[in-house]
Each structure stands twice: as structure tokens, then as C-alpha cells.
């Protein structure tokens, strides 16, 4: 394999990016960076600080925030200086606010710097919305992972119910569609397939099949010895 490989996995909410990205990273022995969790962390701190109406304050939170990941088996634990936020960043309120804070130019600029630094530290699998288009436009492997809207909502529903939360499938589908629309239509770094990304529709693929496809793409690219740097 090349010395340093970046595997970028972008796509809409609920397409299975984080589940798949985590497994691809484990198979390849790469670090896994969940860029969505970083926007969620900014949103959570802004909510806790009562700063949601103040764009400058949110941008300052993004510049100052120190986010770290500690993978433990199936769980990718997320920390800020105040402590662990793994569960706190998965509420519906944080999902909606993460989409909002991610549209602020200062927040995106701050996250870009942090995400590039994380990706420079070694080979990574990074998932999000703009990894292949903006963060690492020269990533050797780019995947745009999709699934149809109802299937994505159904997966999120199963996840929430398994975690002991209550949910309504149609309501979830509406929330996710609204978030994808906002993420796709924002001015800076919108959710968009990179021209050179491989699109994988996972609606009728198992997690294992999707992981196998991406690992094969990474192994094929790794042999060319291209570097992302
Ligand atoms: O992947 P997720 O649902 O955890 O992401 C939360 C929000 O963060 C999502 O609505 C859009 C935003 N996001 C982004 O703008 N750019 C990224 N690279 C990752 C997430």
C-alpha cells in the first residue's frame, strides 16, 4: 500500500457511512474520523452555552474546541475538554443544530483545519459530506454512499429503538430529508458527489458487502503507491 492513504466516504444522513467507515478502517488498520461528530460537538457546546442565536460565538466555539476520538470495539467514543459526549451528540436537537452550525463559514473553516490535520497524521477513513470534495480533494479513494430515503429512515429507526429511544418512522424520514436538503443547498461545501467518487447505493447491500467493496477499492488504489500529500 501507499504510505499514506485517505479513504473519503461522503453521503446523505443515514446511508450507513459511520457503520461502514468504522469497519473499513478496522479492516485496513487505519484511523477512523467521523467529521459529522465534530459538527455535532460544536452544536452541543453551543446549545449548552445558550449561544445558538449568536453566529460569532458559535464560530469561536468551533475555533477553540478540542475534539478527540477513542475507538472502543463497536463504539467510537467522542470527547471534548469537558468530558465524554458520545451519547449526548446523537439527539434530534443536536442533529438539527449540527446541520445549522455546519452552514456557518467560520465553523467550516475551523473544522477544515482540524480535519486536515487529523488526516495528515496517518492513513484514515474519514466520513462526512465534503471529505472528497473539500477536505481531501486528492483522496485516493472516494466513495459516495447512498440509500433510498425510506431505507435510510428505517435504519435510523432501528438504531434509535435498539438504543432504548422512541421514534416514528415517517417523522424520522421527514427530518432526515429536511436535513439533507439543507446540507445539499448550503453555499459552502454542500453535500455533493465528487466527480471522481464511486457511487455505492447500499439500499439492497448488506453492511458486509458494502465494506468489501470499499476495502477492495482501497487495496487497488494502495498498490499504485500514489500519495495524497
Ligand atoms: O453525519 P452526521 O449526521 O453526524 O452529520 C451531522 C451534520 O453535520 C450534518 O447534518 C451535516 C454536517 N456535516 C457537514 O456539513 N460536513 C461534514 N463533513 C460532516 C457533517
Amino acid at each position: 500500500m501507499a504510505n499514506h492513504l485517505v479513504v473519503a466516504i461522503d453521503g446523505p444522513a443515514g446511508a450507513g457511512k459511520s457503520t461502514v467507515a468504522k469497519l473499513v478502517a478496522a479492516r485496513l488498520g487505519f484511523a477512523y474520523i467521523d467529521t459529522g461528530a465534530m459538527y455535532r460537538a460544536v452544536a452541543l457546546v453551543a446549545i449548552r452555552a445558550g449561544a445558538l442565536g449568536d453566529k460569532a460565538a458559535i464560530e469561536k466555539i468551533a475555533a477553540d474546541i478540542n475534539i478527540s476520538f477513542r475507538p472502543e470495539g463497536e463504539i467510537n467514543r467522542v470527547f471534548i475538554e469537558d468530558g465524554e459526549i458520545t451519547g449526548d451528540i446523537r439527539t434530534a436537537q443536536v442533529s438539527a443544530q449540527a446541520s445549522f452550525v455546519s452552514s456557518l463559514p467560520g465553523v467550516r473553516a475551523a473544522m477544515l483545519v482540524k480535519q486536515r490535520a487529523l488526516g495528515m497524521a496517518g492513513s484514515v477513513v474519514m466520513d462526512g459530506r465534503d471529505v472528497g470534495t473539500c477536505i481531501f480533494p486528492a483522496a485516493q479513494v472516494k466513495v459516495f454512499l447512498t440509500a433510498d430515503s425510506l431505507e435510510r429512515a428505517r435504519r435510523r429507526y432501528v438504531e434509535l429503538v435498539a438504543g432504548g429511544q422512541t421514534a416514528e418512522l415517517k417523522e424520522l424520514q421527514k427530518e432526515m430529508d429536511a436535513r439533507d436538503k439543507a446540507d445539499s443547498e448550503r453555499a459552502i461545501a454542500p453535500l455533493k458527489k465528487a466527480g471522481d467518487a464511486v457511487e455505492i447505493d447500499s439500499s439492497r447491500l448488506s453492511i458486509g458487502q458494502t465494506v468489501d467493496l470499499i476495502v477492495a477499492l482501497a487495496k487497488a488504489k494502495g498498490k499504485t503507491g500514489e500519495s495524497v500529500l
Side-chain angles (χ1 to χ4, degrees), residues 1-2 5 139-141 196 216-226:
M1 285 237 181
L5 223 67
Q140 298 94 337
V141 181
D196 53 351
L217 287 173
K219 290 198 164 155
K221 282 289 170 146
K223 288 193 187 106
T224 67
E226 283 169 44

Side-chain angles (χ1 to χ4, degrees), residues 54-139:
D54 184 344
K55 290 183 184 173
I58 300 171
E59 293 184 338
K60 173 143 177 42
I61 289 169
D64 294 344
I65 200 167
N66 210 330
I67 306 163
S68 57
F69 295 102
R70 202 183 305 157
E72 243 177 56
E74 297 277 282
I75 304 169
N76 187 32
R77 299 177 68 188
V78 188
F79 296 82
I80 53 174
E81 266 153 20
D82 286 347
E84 180 161 11
I85 53 165
T86 312
D88 296 347
I89 57 171
R90 300 292 159 193
T91 65
Q93 188 197 12
V94 172
S95 299
Q97 295 305 333
S99 181
F100 164 66
V101 304
S102 75
S103 69
L104 301 177
V107 172
R108 294 215 75 84
M111 292 300 113
L112 180 81
V113 171
K114 292 179 203 295
Q115 288 156 3
R116 283 210 177 131
L118 288 165
M120 298 292 200
S123 290
V124 287
V125 178
M126 197 174 273
D127 78 342
R129 306 292 188 287
D130 63 338
V131 182
T133 49
C134 292
I135 305 169
F136 282 106

Side-chain angles (χ1 to χ4, degrees), residues 172-208:
L172 270 179
Q173 188 181 10
K174 244 172 46 197
E175 273 170 27
M176 286 168 66
D177 286 349
R179 193 146 66 89
D180 289 335
K181 186 168 173 340
D183 293 342
S184 306
E185 290 177 353
R186 68 170 173 238
I188 313 164
L191 164 65
K192 188 173 89 183
K193 176 182 171 294
D196 53 351
V198 175
E199 182 159 348
I200 299 177
D201 181 342
S202 71
S203 307
R204 273 155 285 279
L205 292 177
S206 69
I207 291 168

